[in-house]
Every structure is written in structure tokens, then in C-alpha cells.
Amino acid sequence: MMTSQTDLAALLCSRLCHDMLSPVGALSNGLELLADEQDPEMRKRCVELLEQSAKISTDKLKFFRLAFGAAGGFGDAVPVEEAQDVIAALAAGNKRVELNWAVSESTLPKPAVKVLLNLSQIALDALVRGGSLDIGAEKRKGNVEIVARATGKKIAFDEVIGHALQGEISPVEITSRTAAAHMIATLAEEMGGGLQYALTEDALVLGAVIPQPEGMIG
């Protein structure tokens, strides 16, 4: 199951570049059109498209910063509102998805936030025809318990990702598609926690138990 840290970093970078290519490419194309366009209405439309692409790019970068990055160290707490805003921005891109948030905590440890964000992204990606995305987290007995549940008419989920979440993936199956799942599985294992998933025809449930770092229990 193990892969080198260098390989994992490269795969995560590939994932980031893949996800950013579309909105950044749209910015570039929009600027080219704006430079050549003289019609006021068309120029207004170009500006609107540029603003939309810029917002998508910013939202994705905010997600990657929290979900993959290490700014501030792994022992820091993250305001739950910040994580909620990032997930809401991602979900807003799919008008057919209803987001329900059930987290009463004001802050969560950074490792738990990384897991929560990545599980939320995986669940959101599974709602190809829309549906509900329910996210919950709470601190109990020194652990952070997390759940992300996707329910809808059509659930699209590659169970190789599920195997990666549970640490049951071979090195050849660790690709840019499974790298994020592998990363949080490794993170959970290093902290003494674990991840799991359950899949039915109309629902995907992703769960995690992440021990709180020493000094943050309470």
C-alpha cells in the first residue's frame, strides 16, 4: 500500500493541475476574446465569464489549501466556518445538490478538517445527477467523528477510491484519482484513526474517526 512521499506529492499536484486547468484556461480565453471584442454587450458578457472563472479558480484554490496544504502546521485548529464556506462554494457549482451541514463545533483540528474536506469532495463528486450532501462532525471521547453522506437517484462511485480510504489499495492503483483518498487514509492511520465507506444504489456514506492531537482534547 505504501508509496513514497515524493510520488504522493506529485500525484496530488497532478490532481490540482487537472482541476485548475479548466477555470484558468477559461480566464485565458476570456481575456483573448475581450481584447478583440468591440461590441459593448459582448464585452460585458466576456467580463461576466471572467468573473465567474475567477471565482471558481479562487474557490478551488481555497479548497486545495485546506484539503492538501500544511500551512500553519498540523496541530492547529481551524474554524469550522472556514471549512463550511469552502464546501458550500464547491457545492454551489452544482445547482442540483442540496447541502446540509450538521457541525456544532466552532473549531476542529486541522487533520480532521483535511479528512472532512476530502470526504465531502468525494461525496459531492458521486452526485452526478444531483441529490443531497449531508456533512456532520462532532468531538467525542477524544476523537473527532466525521460523516459525509451523498444520497440521490444516481450514485457514481469507483470503489477503488473506497478501498483507498480503507487502506486496502495496491501501489499500482494509487493514481491522481485515488491520491487524495490515499493521503487521508495515511493521515488517519498515522494518528491512530481510520476511515470507512458504505455504498448502496442511492447512497454513499463516508465515515472517519480521527483522534484529537494531544493538547487539543477538551
Side-chain angles (χ1 to χ4, degrees):
M1 140 124 195
M2 295 302 293
T3 189
S4 75
Q5 292 183 353
T6 301
D7 288 343
L8 181 58
L11 290 170
L12 291 173
C13 285
S14 294
R15 162 71 186 277
L16 188 154
C17 291
H18 176 272
D19 284 12
M20 292 300 300
L21 185 60
S22 178
V24 172
L27 280 171
S28 178
N29 293 336
L31 288 171
E32 290 181 5
L33 290 172
L34 190 63
D36 297 333
E37 186 59 61
Q38 301 300 322
D39 181 75
E41 281 299 317
M42 290 300 297
R43 288 181 63 86
K44 179 181 178 181
R45 179 58 178 158
C46 285
V47 170
E48 291 174 353
L49 291 174
L50 286 170
E51 290 174 344
Q52 182 181 33
S53 296
K55 184 180 186 307
I56 292 173
S57 299
T58 300
D59 290 341
K60 286 181 177 290
L61 286 172
K62 287 180 178 178
F63 169 81
F64 287 126
R65 177 179 175 272
L66 275 182
F68 295 166
F74 285 97
D76 290 351
V78 175
V80 167
E81 184 179 359
E82 187 174 350
Q84 183 176 5
D85 289 345
V86 169
I87 296 171
L90 291 179
N94 189 338
K95 302 300 182 183
R96 297 178 296 176
V97 172
E98 177 186 353
L99 176 61
N100 301 305
W101 186 261
V103 182
S104 60
E105 311 292 345
S106 59
T107 65
L108 290 173
K110 183 167 286 187
V113 170
K114 288 182 181 298
V115 172
L116 183 148
L117 289 176
N118 280 282
L119 293 184
S120 298
Q121 174 72 79
I122 293 169
L124 180 60
D125 287 344
L127 293 172
V128 292
R129 293 183 183 174
S132 297
L133 174 59
D134 303 310
I135 300 168
E138 65 175 337
K139 298 175 183 176
R140 291 184 60 190
K141 299 179 180 179
N143 296 317
V144 179
E145 298 181 0
I146 300 166
V147 63
R149 180 177 61 199
T151 55
K153 295 181 179 179
K154 170 75 173 175
I155 300 295
F157 180 67
D158 185 349
E159 290 201 67
V160 174
I161 295 175
H163 297 157
L165 290 172
Q166 295 183 162
E168 302 166 351
I169 190 172
S170 67
V172 296
E173 293 177 305
I174 302 174
T175 65
S176 59
R177 291 187 66 252
T178 57
H182 174 68
M183 179 196 73
I184 59 173
T186 301
L187 176 60
E189 182 181 8
E190 289 174 348
M191 298 191 68
L195 312 177
Q196 60 183 355
Y197 80 101
L199 177 65
T200 65
E201 185 176 342
D202 57 2
L204 170 66
V205 180
L206 307 171
V209 176
I210 308 296
Q212 296 189 68
E214 291 185 11
M216 298 185 67
I217 299 175

